[in-house]
Structure formats: structure tokens, C-alpha cells
Amino acid sequence: RYTATAPAEAPLLSLLEAAKARGFNARTLAARLNVGVTVVAKLNQRLFVAASLPEALVARLSEALDTTAERVRAYLAQPAT
């Protein structure tokens, strides 16, 4: 028997590109997250230890980017760029 499954979401390639696709820039994303633009840049470059980020921040980020927290965590867990 064949069971259809939903296609897997592609991984995030850039937080800023994901934000841009939703019509806002780094400054707007920073305001939505209630952090500075520098923090957004560091998040985008994965310069924070992913496990050290507050769950509330990951939740706000996933909401702003209209994606899952798991997808955001997977992005943040990748090596720094």
C-alpha cells in the first residue's frame, strides 16, 4: 500500500534571505525579535552557540519567518559563516 507523505521543508539557507522573502529587512526582523540589528547579523552568521539561545527567541524568530522552530534550530546549529 502507498502512503503519501508531505515533502520535507528545505533547510534555511539564510535568516536574512528568509526575512526578505517575507518582505522585511534586517532592521524589521530585529524589531520583531526585540533585539538589535547586530544580533540579527550574528544570528544570520551563526556566531552564537545555538544551544545557548533562549527558546523564546527561537520561537519569535520562527514566527517572524513563518517556519518551524526546528527548522530555525537546524539553521542555527550549522557552522558559523
Side-chain angles (χ1 to χ4, degrees):
R1 222 155 65 148
Y2 176 76
T3 304
T5 58
E9 271 190 293
L12 288 173
L13 301 177
S14 163
L15 298 178
L16 294 179
E17 287 301 316
K20 185 177 177 183
R22 281 149 189 81
F24 47 90
N25 59 23
R27 184 171 289 177
T28 307
L29 181 58
R32 286 176 163 238
L33 299 177
N34 199 29
V35 300
V37 176
T38 303
V39 172
V40 169
K42 289 180 178 185
L43 286 167
N44 191 62
Q45 295 173 10
R46 297 182 290 260
L47 296 178
F48 295 107
V49 175
S52 73
L53 296 171
E55 281 300 313
L57 177 62
V58 173
R60 287 194 312 268
L61 188 53
S62 64
E63 184 179 321
L65 299 180
D66 193 27
T67 191
T68 64
E70 291 78 21
R71 199 166 169 228
V72 170
R73 277 190 217 97
Y75 174 82
L76 295 170
Q78 294 176 42
T81 57

